[in-house]
Amino acid sequence: MPANLTPQYLDAELKFKQAKTTPEKIKALEVMMAVIPKHKGTERLRGQLKSRMAKLKEELQRRPAVAKAEQAYNVKREGAAQVVLLGLPNSGKSTLLSRITHASSEVADYPFTTQQPIPGMMKFENLQIQLVDTPPIQSDHIEPGFPNLIRNAEGLLLLVDLTEDPIFQMEVLLEELSEMRIKAAGKGPTLSPDVGWVSLRALLVGNKCEVKNAMEAYRRFESRFRDTFPILPVSARGGMNLDELRKEIYQILNILRVYTKTPGKEPDLTEPVILKKGSTVEDVALSVHKDFVAKLRYAKVWGSGKFDGQMVKRDYLVNEGDVIELHL
Ligand SMILES: Nc1nc2c(ncn2[C@@H]2O[C@H](COP(=O)(O)OP(=O)(O)OP(=O)(O)O)[C@@H](O)[C@H]2O)c(=O)[nH]1
Ligand SMILES: [Mg+2]
């Protein structure tokens, strides 16, 4: 039987086809359902519209849940850099966070204790570095907000439990990172990643090193990964090797600190200017004030210069600990 669809209906159908968002589609579909002639010939079509509507409404309801989950994974960056802690269930991430920052994250001897990212600030010398504890990585499931959380960080701390086959755990972690198109970069220069990928420096940490036989497992773990990654053993619970850990975390960040001074005055060594390695005097000027770049004539450098107070040009590469006096 012919459907005899009216111009009103065809008009609504066109709107439906052109609709870009789910609410727009629902609106057009409502009109279609209202104006469609109700007779035997349109029965099947009416059935289709109804099920389409059900799907759209379901979609509309699902969305906020995903958005909410992603939102829960947004962590505002604070301090000099953000480092994300990753590991399988029970590896000791939360114990470590609670140990080296002032934050507290629930610790328990059962897996999946941590349900959302928890940030904490770690003090390293005159710097504050943000560490983010996370829910455990699983090999079959990635939480919606996880990839973004990691991609936005400056470094990764990959934690394994030395009492539970650490090599296997690290393989799972690296594989899951690949799933998220994240390359854990190790020693040496970081190559620019493929399109759609990000590359992040990673530090490998074997936890629970105080447990009997754990150091033997560490040796195997170390010999497998040490050529590629910086790596060290710690005991989060026992507080072992944590100063070394702070240093290593700073090292993977690829940043350096310089200090600025005004002529005739002492530099303030408590207020470092944080820059990427490979930065120049010009970058120092930019970080102080954007107008300084244009006005900059030369600088004097204490530290990495041939002699203290050496005059350098704007393209001079600064080094960790340099004191820079900008001359405008
Ligand atoms: N022996 C020993 N046990 C530790 C160490 N660090 C953590 N643990 C224990 O390991 C268990 C898991 O610790 P958590 O810090 O909750 O581990 P997690 O990685 O945050 O766990 P999830 O949140 O479930 O992923 C707890 O029983 C801790 O006390 C350590 O250095 N040595
Ligand atoms: Mg935890």
Side-chain angles (χ1 to χ4, degrees):
M1 203 189 273
N4 292 333
L5 297 169
T6 60
Q8 264 173 313
Y9 177 86
L10 295 172
D11 186 44
E13 190 182 52
L14 185 67
K15 284 209 177 99
F16 178 79
K17 283 183 183 148
Q18 290 170 341
K20 290 203 177 64
T21 66
T22 308
E24 272 170 26
K25 281 185 197 154
I26 289 179
K27 224 168 136 192
L29 198 56
E30 271 169 354
V31 178
M32 286 159 75
M33 288 167 87
V35 302
I36 191 167
K38 316 245 176 343
H39 57 71
K40 195 87 184 130
T42 59
E43 209 171 68
R44 229 182 87 187
L45 186 54
R46 278 183 284 145
Q48 285 169 355
L49 297 182
K50 227 169 135 182
S51 81
R52 223 182 248 179
M53 179 62 100
K55 273 201 195 109
L56 285 171
K57 287 199 165 153
E58 205 182 300
E59 204 173 293
L60 201 63
Q61 277 187 341
R62 238 189 354 250
R63 286 246 180 93
V66 173
K68 221 169 143 194
E70 281 185 28
Q71 230 170 40
Y73 272 71
N74 279 343
V75 177
K76 191 170 162 271
R77 173 193 283 95
E78 278 173 44
Q82 190 182 60
V83 174
V84 171
L85 247 75
L86 296 177
L88 298 196
N90 261 348
S91 48
K93 300 175 292 299
S94 302
T95 307
L96 186 64
L97 182 89
S98 306
R99 205 54 207 230
I100 54 175
T101 75
H102 292 299
S104 78
S105 182
E106 193 188 343
V107 171
D109 57 7
Y110 48 83
F112 300 99
T113 310
T114 308
Q115 310 262 335
Q116 65 177 60
I118 298 181
M121 298 307 290
M122 175 188 90
K123 195 169 151 50
F124 170 69
E125 297 174 357
N126 54 8
L127 284 182
Q128 297 279 345
I129 295 168
Q130 186 182 46
L131 298 187
V132 184
D133 182 19
T134 60
I137 293 281
Q138 304 167 59
S139 50
D140 50 352
H141 172 75
I142 297 169
E143 287 292 323
F146 230 133
N148 258 337
L149 170 76
I150 305 174
R151 284 164 164 259
N152 287 331
E154 274 86 31
L156 299 177
L157 195 160
L158 305 180
L159 192 69
V160 295
D161 181 342
L162 292 174
T163 68
E164 303 262 357
D165 197 350
I167 293 177
F168 172 74
Q169 290 172 61
M170 191 53 63
E171 280 167 351
V172 173
L173 291 178
L174 294 174
E175 195 180 314
E176 288 309 302
L177 284 168
S178 294
E179 284 284 310
M180 298 185 234
R181 294 173 172 238
I182 296 161
K183 178 162 170 34
K187 295 174 171 171
T190 33
L191 303 169
S192 52
D194 292 338
V195 177
W197 282 66
V198 295
S199 179
L200 280 174
R201 285 196 181 248
L203 169 65
L204 273 44
V205 180
N207 188 30
K208 314 195 185 180
C209 75
E210 91 292 354
V211 177
K212 196 162 170 258
N213 298 333
M215 279 314 281
E216 275 141 51
Y218 177 74
R219 304 268 176 257
R220 288 193 296 276
F221 176 63
E222 188 190 29
S223 59
R224 167 71 188 273
F225 292 105
R226 79 175 148 219
D227 290 339
T228 343
F229 294 101
I231 175 167
L232 87 163
V234 302
S235 166
R237 190 148 87 183
M240 286 158 72
N241 226 8
L242 299 186
D243 281 340
E244 196 54 34
L245 177 63
R246 288 171 211 266
K247 253 186 239 156
E248 291 285 337
I249 290 175
Y250 177 68
Q251 291 301 335
I252 62 162
L253 292 175
N254 224 18
I255 54 181
L256 55 80
R257 290 166 287 181
V258 301
Y259 305 88
T260 54
K261 76 185 276 298
T262 29
K265 284 194 187 146
E266 287 301 307
D268 182 358
L269 298 180
T270 64
E271 285 284 338
V273 173
I274 297 149
L275 299 167
K276 281 205 184 108
K277 278 187 186 158
S279 291
T280 61
V281 160
E282 192 171 276
D283 297 315
V284 178
L286 182 66
S287 76
V288 178
H289 197 286
K290 63 177 175 18
D291 292 349
F292 279 21
V293 180
K295 292 182 187 158
L296 183 68
R297 289 187 295 136
Y298 66 94
K300 285 183 174 180
V301 55
W302 284 256
S304 68
K306 286 197 194 84
F307 54 88
D308 275 353
Q310 186 190 346
M311 244 165 96
V312 295
K313 291 193 197 145
R314 59 169 66 221
D315 62 355
Y316 182 81
L317 287 173
V318 296
N319 278 289
E320 173 78 32
D322 279 356
V323 172
I324 309 285
E325 189 177 273
L326 298 170
H327 287 259
L328 306 179

